[in-house]
Amino acid sequence: MTNQTARVLELLKRFNDGKKVCIEALGNEVLWEGKSEKTIRRDLDVIKLIFPESFELIRGDKGCYKAITKKAFENFLTPETISMMAQVYNVAQKSNLFANIDLSDSDKRLLESQLKKSKDCYMFIDKPYENKKSDYQLFKEMENAIHHQQHLMVKYSVNDKTEVMDVKPYKILFINQNFYLVCEVVDSQYELTQLRVSNIAEVQMVPKQFHKNYEIEDFIKEIQTPFSTYRSGYKKHMINVTVEVKKEKARFFKAKNSLPSQRIVEQKADGDLILSFRVTQELEIEELIKKWLPHVKVLEPLSLKEKIENELREYLLLEQ
């Protein structure tokens, strides 16, 4: 374990115990002996980077900090957080994203030990992550282009067809267990598209800047599925979908929103639920509805209801 790792873990323990941490006092302790105030602040910055809301400066007590609340700090390690940390670590390992991070072997063993402890109690079953050994450099190139608002030349391959496109990159999106590059494609019919990173063979930053479209930035924050589609003035083109969920399955929709836009419109006396969703196109919600048939019925729009009914009829005819 490196000296900094030991110091950071000690700070975490003190915050978790509800103790006050003062920079001047730490300078007199063995762990920080001979360390400058700048070094001690760097130790605190490591915690702040991972847990931004974990501690705060105590007013009127110069250079002293406390956990925002001891209970909040203890409650940070929820099953959801453990799952997220485990998944992020696995992605980073598989995609070689730790390549230029200064983690010693002992630090890596410490991380792996903590993840192993969580696996003794939890098991997360999910789709496998897509990854390539070249991912690290690919992600760094995309990050640089996004940060500096520079065009990217992207070599993209799908179904044995490869094309090179000039794009304006906005965000790297992780959704449905896959990474996507959300970008405008220059000279394309698509105003915005999501390129699956696993299909990107290579990227090259072009010394040509672009100005971001603020409406597109707002749209990206509202993306719900890989099938979300953008067009100018997207909010006025959103589609309202209303469904009825039978009481036998209502509890699942109450416990967790199937899409971020899900809203409960009505809970009927018999236990059935009326839900509403806002989507950019009907395709966004088709998979969800089919998954819950026959316990979910589309009320509106009529076009979506008829489309699903027609597909079911075609399927039944094929089975005869």
Side-chain angles (χ1 to χ4, degrees), residues 22 39 63 77 96 100-101 109 125 128 132 171 200 211 258 260 269 271 302 307:
C22 297
T39 297
L77 290 178
N96 203 27
N100 76 336
I101 298 177
R109 284 195 296 270
I125 300 175
K132 309 189 292 289
K171 277 284 190 293
I200 297 177
H211 295 289
S258 301
L302 187 60
K307 183 176 187 294

Short mmCIF file of all heavy atoms in Angstrom, two decimals, residues 22 39 63 77 96 100-101 109 125 128 132 171 200 211 258 260 269 271 302 307:
data_model
loop_
_atom_site.label_atom_id
_atom_site.label_comp_id
_atom_site.label_asym_id
_atom_site.label_seq_id
_atom_site.Cartn_x
_atom_site.Cartn_y
_atom_site.Cartn_z
N CYS A 22 -8.45 18.37 10.75
CA CYS A 22 -7.83 19.70 10.62
C CYS A 22 -6.45 19.58 10.01
O CYS A 22 -5.62 18.77 10.45
CB CYS A 22 -7.73 20.38 11.98
SG CYS A 22 -9.34 20.69 12.76
N THR A 39 0.40 18.92 0.27
CA THR A 39 0.28 17.45 0.19
C THR A 39 -0.96 16.98 0.92
O THR A 39 -1.70 16.11 0.43
CB THR A 39 1.53 16.78 0.79
OG1 THR A 39 2.67 17.15 0.01
CG2 THR A 39 1.39 15.27 0.79
N GLY A 63 -9.30 25.62 8.14
CA GLY A 63 -8.60 24.40 7.72
C GLY A 63 -9.14 23.13 8.33
O GLY A 63 -8.47 22.10 8.31
N LEU A 77 -22.43 3.51 0.78
CA LEU A 77 -22.18 2.19 0.21
C LEU A 77 -23.46 1.36 0.20
O LEU A 77 -23.60 0.38 0.91
CB LEU A 77 -21.06 1.48 0.98
CG LEU A 77 -19.67 2.08 0.76
CD1 LEU A 77 -18.64 1.36 1.60
CD2 LEU A 77 -19.28 2.04 -0.70
N ASN A 96 -8.61 -1.83 -20.48
CA ASN A 96 -7.26 -1.30 -20.30
C ASN A 96 -7.27 0.19 -19.96
O ASN A 96 -6.36 0.93 -20.31
CB ASN A 96 -6.42 -1.54 -21.57
CG ASN A 96 -4.94 -1.54 -21.28
OD1 ASN A 96 -4.52 -1.85 -20.16
ND2 ASN A 96 -4.14 -1.20 -22.26
N ASN A 100 -2.64 4.28 -17.85
CA ASN A 100 -1.73 5.36 -17.44
C ASN A 100 -2.07 5.91 -16.06
O ASN A 100 -1.67 7.00 -15.71
CB ASN A 100 -1.73 6.49 -18.47
CG ASN A 100 -2.98 7.35 -18.37
OD1 ASN A 100 -4.00 6.90 -17.90
ND2 ASN A 100 -2.88 8.58 -18.83
N ILE A 101 -2.86 5.14 -15.27
CA ILE A 101 -3.15 5.56 -13.90
C ILE A 101 -2.12 4.94 -12.98
O ILE A 101 -1.85 3.74 -13.04
CB ILE A 101 -4.58 5.14 -13.48
CG1 ILE A 101 -5.59 5.81 -14.40
CG2 ILE A 101 -4.85 5.50 -12.03
CD1 ILE A 101 -7.02 5.41 -14.14
N ARG A 109 -4.45 -4.73 -5.63
CA ARG A 109 -4.86 -5.87 -4.81
C ARG A 109 -5.89 -5.43 -3.77
O ARG A 109 -6.83 -6.17 -3.46
CB ARG A 109 -3.64 -6.50 -4.13
CG ARG A 109 -2.79 -7.35 -5.06
CD ARG A 109 -1.83 -8.24 -4.28
NE ARG A 109 -0.86 -7.45 -3.53
CZ ARG A 109 0.32 -7.07 -4.04
NH1 ARG A 109 0.64 -7.38 -5.27
NH2 ARG A 109 1.15 -6.38 -3.30
N ILE A 125 -25.93 -9.88 -12.13
CA ILE A 125 -26.06 -10.58 -13.41
C ILE A 125 -26.47 -9.56 -14.46
O ILE A 125 -27.49 -8.90 -14.33
CB ILE A 125 -27.10 -11.70 -13.32
CG1 ILE A 125 -26.68 -12.72 -12.25
CG2 ILE A 125 -27.29 -12.38 -14.67
CD1 ILE A 125 -27.69 -13.81 -12.01
N PRO A 128 -22.81 -8.90 -20.90
CA PRO A 128 -21.36 -8.68 -20.91
C PRO A 128 -21.02 -7.35 -21.56
O PRO A 128 -21.72 -6.88 -22.44
CB PRO A 128 -20.83 -9.85 -21.76
CG PRO A 128 -21.99 -10.23 -22.62
CD PRO A 128 -23.23 -9.98 -21.80
N LYS A 132 -12.48 -3.74 -26.30
CA LYS A 132 -11.35 -4.06 -27.17
C LYS A 132 -10.09 -3.58 -26.47
O LYS A 132 -10.12 -2.63 -25.70
CB LYS A 132 -11.48 -3.35 -28.54
CG LYS A 132 -12.80 -3.53 -29.24
CD LYS A 132 -12.75 -2.99 -30.67
CE LYS A 132 -12.63 -1.48 -30.71
NZ LYS A 132 -13.83 -0.78 -30.28
N LYS A 171 -20.81 13.83 -26.35
CA LYS A 171 -20.73 13.07 -25.11
C LYS A 171 -20.43 11.61 -25.42
O LYS A 171 -20.77 11.08 -26.48
CB LYS A 171 -22.07 13.10 -24.37
CG LYS A 171 -22.31 14.33 -23.49
CD LYS A 171 -21.53 14.28 -22.19
CE LYS A 171 -21.97 15.39 -21.24
NZ LYS A 171 -21.62 16.73 -21.72
N ILE A 200 -16.52 1.34 -33.59
CA ILE A 200 -15.58 2.36 -34.04
C ILE A 200 -14.18 1.73 -34.13
O ILE A 200 -13.64 1.29 -33.11
CB ILE A 200 -15.56 3.57 -33.09
CG1 ILE A 200 -16.93 4.26 -33.09
CG2 ILE A 200 -14.47 4.57 -33.51
CD1 ILE A 200 -17.03 5.44 -32.12
N HIS A 211 -18.96 24.89 -32.64
CA HIS A 211 -19.73 25.44 -31.53
C HIS A 211 -20.89 24.50 -31.23
O HIS A 211 -21.61 24.08 -32.13
CB HIS A 211 -20.26 26.83 -31.89
CG HIS A 211 -19.17 27.85 -32.09
ND1 HIS A 211 -18.43 28.35 -31.04
CD2 HIS A 211 -18.68 28.43 -33.22
CE1 HIS A 211 -17.54 29.21 -31.51
NE2 HIS A 211 -17.67 29.27 -32.83
N SER A 258 -39.66 2.31 -15.46
CA SER A 258 -39.13 1.56 -16.60
C SER A 258 -38.34 2.45 -17.54
O SER A 258 -37.39 2.02 -18.18
CB SER A 258 -40.29 0.91 -17.36
OG SER A 258 -41.01 0.05 -16.50
N PRO A 260 -37.05 6.87 -17.55
CA PRO A 260 -37.03 8.06 -16.69
C PRO A 260 -38.29 8.92 -16.78
O PRO A 260 -38.66 9.59 -15.81
CB PRO A 260 -35.80 8.83 -17.19
CG PRO A 260 -34.90 7.77 -17.74
CD PRO A 260 -35.82 6.76 -18.35
N ALA A 269 -59.25 1.64 -8.70
CA ALA A 269 -59.75 0.97 -7.50
C ALA A 269 -59.46 -0.53 -7.53
O ALA A 269 -59.25 -1.16 -6.48
CB ALA A 269 -61.26 1.21 -7.38
N GLY A 271 -56.80 -1.84 -8.70
CA GLY A 271 -55.36 -2.08 -8.61
C GLY A 271 -54.59 -1.87 -9.89
O GLY A 271 -53.36 -1.83 -9.89
N LEU A 302 -52.89 5.65 -30.90
CA LEU A 302 -53.55 4.55 -31.60
C LEU A 302 -52.60 3.87 -32.58
O LEU A 302 -52.65 2.66 -32.76
CB LEU A 302 -54.78 5.09 -32.35
CG LEU A 302 -55.70 4.05 -33.01
CD1 LEU A 302 -56.26 3.10 -31.96
CD2 LEU A 302 -56.83 4.75 -33.75
N LYS A 307 -49.89 -1.00 -34.32
CA LYS A 307 -48.63 -1.61 -34.78
C LYS A 307 -48.33 -2.89 -34.00
O LYS A 307 -47.99 -3.93 -34.58
CB LYS A 307 -47.47 -0.62 -34.63
CG LYS A 307 -46.14 -1.14 -35.15
CD LYS A 307 -45.09 -0.05 -35.04
CE LYS A 307 -43.78 -0.46 -35.71
NZ LYS A 307 -43.13 -1.60 -35.04
#
